Amino acid sequence: MMEGTSYNLRSRPCTPSNTQGKPGVVGLDNIGNSCYFNAVMQCLCSTMPFVEDLLSQETRRELAKYCRIAQVFVQLLERMWQGSSPSCSPVQVMAALPSIFPQFGSYTQQDAQELLLHLLDALHEDLKKMHLSRKQPGKNQSRSSKTESTIVSDLFEGQLNYLTSFLHCGHEARNNQTFTILSLPIPNDNKKCSIQDCLSLFFEETVLTGAEQSDCSDCGRRREATVQTYLNKPPEILILHLKRFGCKGRKQVKLSANVSFSMELDITPFLSSSVRRRSSYHLYAVVIHRGNLDMGHYTALCYNSVLETWHWFDDSLVREVHGSVVQSPDAYVLFYSCKPF
């Protein structure tokens, strides 16, 4: 792609039948246990407002001044949307990751959700620097960078609200916490449940007793309390991580429950009273994990809104699939958008 060109993903033509030449439908080579990265990258590649912002001519030109994660990430994203070959290599991004996150430096299998969390954080930090350099070139911007928003925070960042009610005196306290991924517990001993069951378990009221008692600012003492969690600010892109890896006694296990999920997700029951609107989301990507703790493999199912088709990505292998196969008992991370792309 020439340096001066710019992308308009919605208007690019679809090419027939073969994978080569299809925009955004390009496999990623496995360069040594890199399936966890490849699956996450395919889901981000299908996040259209994210892609369109990063592949804009202005963003690509500005990122050329930086040599960290964002620049090589965007270069890979660009090759994936060119569609000039059936697959491409993620080696540059994976080589850059260990400079910030050493745990990704070895060619060993890693957790896809952990990578996604770190990757979004690294992109956010790089993009903040780019934005700040436009506004105040040459000045010390460390203080203002803490509050600088980017396409990452605009799309993926939401806010939880915790209402703590102290049982002794009735005092109430509220605290907010931002998030980019919601990690949902799976109900114990369930072979089959729904994503709504997992959300209900995450947002259910908890009681703090014994060693878990909380400090009451009204009493000045540790007191028993209840904590109710609400969704205070729903993000544009809602990422749900199913906590399949955990402990059973002293043994680490993978929970194999079949968690059913639909193409549309209603989160209205979990919203705080300050959010006065119905909130529903549309599924567009899924990270799949097959196997166990010691040996497993990641793939991805993604919707391409340019071609209006679902595709299954298994490293460099790509296959168009029907939407009915998206429901998988091995779903690990779900990507929902509040607006259809």
Side-chain angles (χ1 to χ4, degrees):
M1 178 60 62
M2 298 277 297
E3 176 62 29
T5 58
S6 184
Y7 282 80
N8 185 341
L9 300 179
R10 293 191 183 92
S11 63
R12 291 196 63 181
C14 303
T15 53
S17 64
N18 64 350
T19 300
Q20 186 170 346
K22 288 187 177 181
V25 188
V26 170
L28 291 171
D29 300 334
N30 192 316
I31 59 172
N33 289 313
S34 63
C35 61
Y36 70 97
F37 174 87
N38 293 347
V40 165
M41 190 69 198
Q42 294 293 358
C43 294
L44 292 177
C45 182
S46 300
T47 308
M48 293 300 289
F50 183 58
V51 170
E52 290 190 325
D53 183 270
L54 292 181
L55 292 189
S56 69
Q57 182 175 333
E58 183 182 12
T59 299
R60 288 185 295 135
R61 184 173 58 247
E62 290 291 327
L63 283 177
K65 303 171 185 177
Y66 298 87
C67 58
R68 296 182 70 191
I69 303 298
Q71 184 184 8
V72 290
F73 178 88
V74 169
Q75 287 172 353
L76 176 59
L77 202 61
E78 185 178 36
R79 292 199 301 273
M80 294 171 73
W81 273 99
Q82 284 176 348
S84 57
S85 61
S87 67
C88 56
S89 173
V91 65
Q92 286 185 310
V93 183
M94 294 204 69
L97 280 172
S99 64
I100 307 175
F101 308 113
Q103 64 268 42
F104 299 114
S106 61
Y107 288 94
T108 57
Q109 186 65 274
Q110 301 290 334
D111 183 74
Q113 179 265 341
E114 184 181 355
L115 167 77
L116 176 61
L117 194 62
H118 287 311
L119 185 56
L120 289 176
D121 183 63
L123 291 171
H124 177 61
E125 292 301 317
D126 273 5
L127 292 169
K128 277 199 305 187
K129 293 172 186 174
M130 182 187 75
H131 291 171
L132 288 166
S133 69
R134 291 173 180 170
K135 294 180 180 179
Q136 299 175 332
K139 294 184 180 181
N140 185 351
Q141 299 126 355
S142 60
R143 186 175 179 182
S144 59
S145 68
K146 294 179 181 179
T147 57
E148 183 70 25
S149 66
T150 69
I151 187 63
V152 175
S153 58
D154 290 344
L155 289 179
F156 299 99
E157 191 173 280
Q159 186 183 77
L160 295 172
N161 177 260
Y162 300 98
L163 173 62
T164 304
S165 303
F166 294 90
L167 303 180
H168 178 77
C169 61
H171 176 64
E172 291 186 345
R174 289 185 179 272
N175 295 289
N176 294 326
Q177 181 184 36
T178 58
F179 70 90
T180 51
I181 300 174
L182 281 186
S183 291
L184 305 182
I186 298 174
N188 289 333
D189 302 322
N190 276 19
K191 291 297 181 184
K192 190 171 183 179
C193 61
S194 70
I195 194 68
Q196 289 288 345
D197 294 330
C198 298
L199 283 164
S200 296
L201 188 57
F202 179 87
F203 285 100
E204 76 173 0
E205 183 180 82
T206 58
V207 181
L208 305 179
T209 61
E212 294 183 332
Q213 289 184 8
S214 185
D215 292 318
C216 176
S217 61
D218 202 39
C219 298
R221 299 180 59 182
R222 292 178 65 81
R223 297 290 191 185
E224 290 187 348
T226 61
V227 179
Q228 181 66 60
T229 307
Y230 299 98
L231 189 51
N232 204 37
K233 180 200 167 194
E236 293 286 319
I237 304 296
L238 178 63
I239 305 176
L240 302 178
H241 160 233
L242 298 175
K243 296 172 72 173
R244 292 196 177 276
F245 303 113
C247 295
K248 196 170 185 178
R250 294 184 177 181
K251 185 180 179 182
Q252 287 191 318
V253 296
K254 178 186 176 183
L255 301 178
S256 57
N258 184 355
V259 181
S260 62
F261 51 92
S262 59
M263 292 293 189
E264 291 199 13
L265 176 68
D266 183 13
I267 62 166
T268 307
F270 313 111
L271 299 177
S272 67
S273 57
S274 62
V275 184
R276 302 182 182 277
R277 60 181 172 86
R278 183 178 178 85
S279 214
S280 62
Y281 284 79
H282 308 271
L283 183 75
Y284 72 90
V286 184
V287 172
I288 306 293
H289 181 269
R290 292 190 172 93
N292 52 43
L293 283 169
D294 301 317
M295 184 176 294
H297 184 60
Y298 286 101
T299 58
L301 287 159
C302 303
Y303 182 74
N304 185 300
S305 58
V306 174
L307 304 174
E308 298 184 347
T309 50
W310 281 90
H311 296 87
W312 173 66
F313 296 91
D314 182 358
D315 291 330
S316 59
L317 301 176
V318 183
R319 187 173 74 233
E320 184 176 325
V321 295
H322 192 272
S324 61
V325 309
V326 174
Q327 174 67 55
S328 169
D330 299 304
Y332 185 50
V333 183
L334 307 173
F335 290 73
Y336 283 92
S337 171
C338 69
K339 301 173 184 176
F341 297 147

